[in-house]
Amino acid sequence: MSQRPTESEQLAAWEEYRLAKLKADQTGEFLDARAAADAWVAFLNVYLDDDNKLPARRTAGGNVSLFPVHKARPAGPLSGGGA
């Protein structure tokens, strides 16, 4: 088990998240929201044992995949009067 975080470590992680969340709420920008999410993970990791910590960075091999629409149907307008 990792050593218990100091109060200053806890407050620093919280303040980093708080400021990032405020910025994301003010701007509504996606990248600001991702920065806030990263700061939230860092805040949670302050309290987790080393063997249970969350990844600090997202990986490209996550559970989200782009669907290759260009391979599923030919390019051009939709048939059948669709939008």
Side-chain angles (χ1 to χ4, degrees):
M1 182 169 174
S2 61
Q3 185 177 357
R4 184 175 177 197
T6 65
E7 186 174 339
S8 63
E9 291 171 326
Q10 295 173 51
L11 289 173
W14 172 253
E15 186 65 8
E16 182 180 343
Y17 165 69
R18 189 183 73 79
L19 292 174
K21 175 76 164 80
L22 283 172
K23 182 178 180 184
D25 288 343
Q26 289 171 350
T27 66
E29 294 291 327
F30 175 73
L31 293 178
D32 290 339
R34 285 183 60 168
D38 289 343
W40 177 250
V41 168
F43 174 70
L44 292 178
N45 281 340
V46 168
Y47 299 99
L48 296 174
D49 293 334
D50 289 339
D51 57 343
N52 290 320
K53 289 195 185 300
L54 301 169
R57 299 273 185 232
R58 289 171 301 282
T59 61
N63 63 354
V64 176
S65 180
L66 297 177
F67 187 75
V69 174
H70 66 283
K71 293 182 180 181
R73 63 177 170 80
L78 296 173
S79 60

